[in-house]
Amino acid sequence: MLELVRGYDIAGIHFDYMRYPGGDYCFCDGCRERFQQSQGAKVERWPDDVREGGPLAEKWQQWRRGLITSLAQEISDSAHALKPGLCVSLAAWPDTEAGREWYGQYWVPWAREGTLDFVCPMDYTTDDGHLATQLASQVAAVKGAIPLYAGLGAFEMKSDAELISQIQTARTEGADGF
């Protein structure tokens, strides 16, 4: 990403898949070694002790979140230093708690603390009620710190009318755009 910032006249960079593929990832030897080093202790039953229900599960999840957060912060800080005015954005997991717990992507602090210049939650649904609930939660979480643009799943819709309805829902729920 920083190579793009250095070498091209771009307006911004967009984090997509700035998360783990799931909560049961990664238990490689390198992650084990780095996690143990961060804890100052050996994990006796790897990976059982760090999996859900294990005695170190919460510490493991915090450590994973920290890695994703520090990567996003480092890229954002470096990109902004190279090109002030550049926008850094994220295709965010729509359910902030699931994103935090399962994918290691806790984007709410990124929004509030300046890592992101705007956020695009992936609100891909054909259910306007579900969209309204997601957006209400997301808008409340961001608290106006940065613009929030609803990522609408037009690819899932069967008509223009469905998309128009979702645009209206996004506006009603306080999204800054779509």
Side-chain angles (χ1 to χ4, degrees):
M1 290 185 133
L2 295 177
E3 181 180 332
L4 292 170
V5 174
R6 281 186 204 97
Y8 299 90
D9 185 22
I10 58 173
I13 54 176
H14 185 68
F15 295 135
D16 195 3
Y17 288 94
M18 181 59 85
R19 61 184 183 272
Y20 292 101
D24 219 21
Y25 182 89
C26 162
F27 302 112
C28 74
D29 291 341
C31 284
R32 177 183 186 171
E33 189 176 309
R34 288 183 291 277
F35 177 70
Q36 289 178 151
Q37 184 177 16
S38 77
Q39 300 303 301
K42 185 176 184 328
V43 178
E44 295 301 321
R45 294 179 13 221
W46 184 267
D48 295 337
D49 284 353
V50 298
R51 284 197 158 125
E52 190 172 348
L56 298 172
E58 182 52 35
K59 287 183 178 187
W60 170 250
Q61 293 301 336
Q62 288 173 355
W63 181 76
R64 292 172 74 233
R65 279 191 298 275
L67 293 177
I68 297 292
T69 295
S70 65
L71 176 62
Q73 185 68 56
E74 183 178 330
I75 293 170
S76 177
D77 288 349
S78 297
H80 285 118
L82 288 166
K83 195 174 279 187
L86 177 102
C87 286
V88 176
S89 59
L90 169 72
W93 198 256
D95 179 329
T96 58
E97 283 309 304
R100 178 183 180 275
E101 291 302 315
W102 193 248
Y103 299 101
Q105 184 193 78
Y106 192 37
W107 59 265
V108 173
W110 305 358
R112 292 185 188 165
E113 297 167 8
T115 300
L116 302 174
D117 297 300
F118 64 92
V119 64
C120 306
M122 299 178 293
D123 294 320
Y124 310 148
T125 180
T126 57
D127 181 330
D128 287 1
H130 182 68
L131 175 63
T133 300
Q134 281 185 315
L135 282 169
S137 174
Q138 295 159 357
V139 168
V142 170
K143 296 181 180 179
I146 59 172
L148 183 143
Y149 303 115
L152 304 178
F155 60 93
E156 294 181 343
M157 297 175 200
K158 294 182 174 95
S159 72
D160 295 345
E162 286 181 84
L163 180 58
I164 290 167
S165 178
Q166 290 211 343
I167 290 169
Q168 291 170 336
T169 299
R171 289 176 174 159
T172 299
E173 294 305 323
D176 297 291
F178 53 90

